[in-house]
Amino acid sequence: MPSAAVRAALTPRWASDPLWRRAQQVPAFDLDFTRRSIIDRIGGISGTFTRPSSTQVAWNGSQFVENAANQPAFEFVPSTGLWGLRMSPAATNGFARSGQFASGAGWTPGTNTSVEVGVQSLGELTGNRVTRLSNAGNNLASQGSSIAAGQVTTWVIASGSHEIGIRVQNIFPDRADGVFNLANGTSRGASVAGTATGASTYMYHFGGGLYLCALTATMALSNASAFIGPTDASLSVSVWPNSSTVLSSITVFHSQIETGPLPTSPTITSGLTVTRSADSFIFSGNAELTALLRSGDLTVYTEHIAQGWNGSNQFIVSLDNSAAATGADEARAFESSTGIINMTHSFNNAPQTVLSFGTGVPGTVSRYAYAMGANSTTGA
């Protein structure tokens, strides 16, 4: 707990803070990532961020910026208007060429498709315009993948005033389809055929009509092929590549196929598949936290702002021994959205705080803070 003098100095600033209103005390720990910093504002101690041997591409509100290995990626979240620390699990982009459109390399255009390369730059990502040339079919582009069988998420970052379709397919007719309206940010849903199951769609708006469009489905075989292209409302989801009188057009900036239920972060490829390491943030060295956790029962009051790419605002925080954590007596994990968390274990080593969105769930954390006091089940 901060000293009496520190509490007196900080109290006016914290009087309107939601955490103060619940705990009635100045936080012992406050990570304000909106300031694009990983330093605790109370104790002035920096946490440790790692992403070994991998870069991270994040949105800064106007373009995509690449962050070096082991450097935190701060991202602008349009839905909150705040910056935050980007946290993503490890993932492999199974497309060998994530942004290339050319016959025989990357996305191969169909016979009724034209591609204009490099029509718009958004930092690390470049847009390619894909257009339907006539009212015949074959208006899509295709690319093979290196992806395991099971739950697969295929996604693109795209813009335009028409719809975009995504198909992932094993041996025809084993396939899943999804259609997304880039003009209004809605999805017309997903369909499956053959052995494909469990299809769903998800969209994320970066702002200015730029969207992440994702199709998730369970595929029976590995190395599924993928197809993307412009489409329109006259075609049902299951036959979106068919003939249409609407000569639609879309701009595609990035493509990715990966295992799991959600899109993670853009992993750029240019000839080979690429695996990105997981983001990890660990905060240790807070002497007051150590003393409190060693003292026995206590209540942890939390306040957070977080946004997961699946629309969830819950993320996982664990208090672990600095030694290898084994068994229930060595670690406690909780979802911070509950507001009040009762800790009933006295740790025998220096604990550390670990932030993540849980296995397979990416997201952005704008703030994480907590106050601690004597054991209690209710807050102010």
Side-chain angles (χ1 to χ4, degrees), residues 100-233:
Q100 184 173 341
F101 285 76
S103 181
W107 291 98
T108 300
T111 56
N112 189 39
T113 304
S114 72
V115 175
E116 298 174 75
V117 177
V119 297
Q120 184 180 357
S121 175
L122 292 176
E124 294 297 321
L125 304 184
T126 300
N128 304 283
R129 183 175 294 120
V130 183
T131 303
R132 179 195 290 269
L133 293 176
S134 71
N135 62 359
N138 200 11
N139 65 307
L140 44 74
S142 62
Q143 182 171 182
S145 74
S146 298
I147 198 75
Q151 192 174 47
V152 173
T153 296
T154 308
W155 56 281
V156 298
I157 294 174
S159 65
S161 57
H162 295 101
E163 294 186 339
I164 182 173
I166 300 177
R167 170 174 290 178
V168 58
Q169 177 176 303
N170 286 146
I171 300 171
F172 188 86
D174 304 333
R175 67 187 188 275
D177 292 278
V179 173
F180 310 83
N181 191 321
L182 298 173
N184 61 22
T186 61
S187 169
R188 285 205 278 128
S191 70
V192 293
T195 59
T197 59
S200 63
T201 58
Y202 169 67
M203 294 185 76
Y204 179 89
H205 191 204
F206 291 101
L210 182 68
Y211 291 94
L212 182 154
C213 306
L215 169 68
T216 298
T218 299
M219 308 301 294
L221 302 176
S222 62
N223 302 332
S225 296
F227 305 85
I228 58 174
T231 188
D232 63 84

Side-chain angles (χ1 to χ4, degrees), residues 337-370:
S337 61
T338 57
I340 300 172
I341 296 89
N342 291 311
M343 304 295 292
T344 59
H345 177 66
S346 180
F347 287 82
N348 56 12
N349 289 312
Q352 59 189 13
T353 297
V354 182
L355 299 184
S356 77
F357 275 82
T359 304
V361 180
T364 303
V365 185
S366 291
R367 181 192 179 200
Y368 178 68
Y370 57 73

Side-chain angles (χ1 to χ4, degrees), residues 302-328:
T302 73
E303 182 65 26
H304 79 280
I305 304 171
Q307 178 64 55
W309 275 21
N310 63 341
S312 170
N313 64 353
Q314 298 181 0
F315 66 105
I316 305 301
V317 182
S318 64
L319 296 173
D320 300 336
N321 273 340
S322 55
T326 57

Side-chain angles (χ1 to χ4, degrees), residues 282-308:
I282 297 176
F283 193 96
S284 58
N286 186 320
E288 291 166 338
L289 170 62
T290 299
L292 279 168
L293 288 177
R294 284 177 174 173
S295 68
D297 294 354
L298 63 144
T299 298
V300 180
Y301 301 83
T302 73
E303 182 65 26
H304 79 280
I305 304 171
Q307 178 64 55

Side-chain angles (χ1 to χ4, degrees), residues 87-91 258 263-265 276-279 358-363:
M87 300 291 292
S88 287
E258 54 195 348
T264 58
S265 294
R276 187 191 62 252
S277 300
D279 294 319
T359 304
V361 180

Side-chain angles (χ1 to χ4, degrees), residues 17 59 68 75 91 96 110 119 141 187 240 247 249 293 313 325 375:
D17 188 86
W59 178 246
E75 181 170 75
V119 297
S187 169
W240 65 263
L247 303 185
S249 178
L293 288 177
N313 64 353
N375 190 35

